[in-house]
Amino acid sequence: MNITTRMNNYTGQSDFTLVGFFIQSKHPALLAMVIFVVFLMALSGNALLILLIHSDSHLHTPMYFFISQLSLMDMMYISVTVPKMLMDQVLGSHMISAAACGMQMFLYLTLVGSEFFLLAAISYDRYVAICHPLRYPVLMNHRVCLLLMSVCWFLGSLDGFMLIPVTMTFPFCRSREIHHFFCEAPAVTKLSCSDTWLYETLMYLCCVLMLVIPVTVISSSYSSILLTVHRMNSAEGRKKALATCSSHMTVVILFYGAAVYNYMFPASFHTPEKDMVVSVFYTILTPLLNPLIYSLRNKNVTEALKKLLGVKPLFLKTMK
């Protein structure tokens, strides 16, 4: 008897229902419109940032290469969850097949896990640039950047490859209503009627490792950066170094803070409502905020945007 048949024997069906958070809103249509606008803004902002980085030669550096990859990941993982959620609200159907649910979980875990490691790679890049500027072109050449990026994607996908096959083979003999707006592994696991203690422990350890390793790299990198900046004689150099790093640290705090709550806090801290609010923050709002953080506080990006829009030539023409 195959897995699908066995699951159907337990449940009588093979689809899940995504309850979502529109059901709790007094104005679901307005909320859906707001999320749709945020979704479009996030896609547009990240796409524009990628375009600027690839079109302006001044931004062809390792740091901006990693930022462009961060924008790509943000575009992908907001697209994994939000379109399905909005379509469910518009069509009035909240069903998702077991295969689609498993695929959504895998893509989401892979993208979020890859972003964990990418943020660590960006911090290492800043460490080399500030602490070892003379060796920076050698230590962070194009080949090294591609290697680091490949490692980020590989390590991010491990979580999905390990957890999703196990999650989707559990017998689901309770309600198949997932109290979330997308298929998230902890929310799906709660529906199982079998003992999931060992699996939940494994999932917890995987998530801890996915967080602890990048956090260790980030903490070590910025500790060294702060010591180097403190020893700098140039006030302008200190200001530039801190401005570059503060943008990255803002993104790190936003992303890791929400992830720590979702995956490392004990079950007593969690309710479906709280989990959905936190997931909205780092699934929908973080992709919107990242391009704003890296563009508004970055002189090179704003200059590239002005050049793309023709602001500077127009200004010069008016002066003449």
Side-chain angles (χ1 to χ4, degrees), residues 126-272:
R126 292 299 81 208
Y127 159 74
V128 177
I130 294 170
C131 300
H132 304 283
L134 297 179
R135 299 174 61 194
Y136 183 70
V138 177
L139 294 175
M140 293 301 296
N141 59 51
H142 186 62
R143 185 177 178 181
V144 172
C145 291
L146 291 177
L147 178 62
L148 284 174
M149 201 61 244
S150 300
V151 170
C152 290
W153 281 107
F154 173 73
L155 293 177
S157 66
L158 285 180
D159 219 9
F161 278 119
M162 287 190 297
L163 297 179
I164 303 311
V166 180
T167 304
M168 298 311 295
T169 53
F170 280 133
F172 299 104
C173 50
R174 300 173 186 171
S175 167
R176 296 181 73 90
E177 289 188 349
I178 300 173
H179 290 273
H180 217 301
F181 60 89
F182 70 98
C183 286
E184 191 177 39
V188 175
T189 305
K190 289 177 183 177
L191 304 180
S192 175
C193 54
S194 61
D195 184 7
T196 59
W197 178 85
L198 182 61
Y199 170 76
E200 288 176 5
T201 303
L202 175 64
M203 182 166 59
Y204 178 80
L205 291 175
C206 285
C207 293
V208 167
L209 286 175
M210 295 284 279
L211 287 167
V212 168
I213 295 173
V215 166
T216 302
V217 174
I218 292 169
S219 302
S220 302
S221 297
Y222 280 105
S223 297
S224 300
I225 287 171
L226 288 174
L227 290 173
T228 302
V229 168
H230 180 70
R231 291 196 294 262
M232 284 183 177
N233 296 322
S234 169
E236 184 66 26
R238 283 199 298 269
K239 183 179 178 182
K240 185 177 180 181
L242 290 174
T244 303
C245 295
S246 62
S247 297
H248 179 55
M249 282 306 299
T250 304
V251 173
V252 168
I253 291 169
L254 289 173
F255 194 72
Y256 279 78
V260 166
Y261 169 82
N262 252 22
Y263 294 102
M264 295 183 68
F265 274 37
S268 57
F269 284 82
H270 292 267
T271 64

Side-chain angles (χ1 to χ4, degrees), residues 310-320:
V311 173
K312 190 172 182 180
L314 180 63
F315 175 74
L316 290 175
K317 186 176 180 181
T318 306
M319 289 293 289
K320 289 180 180 179

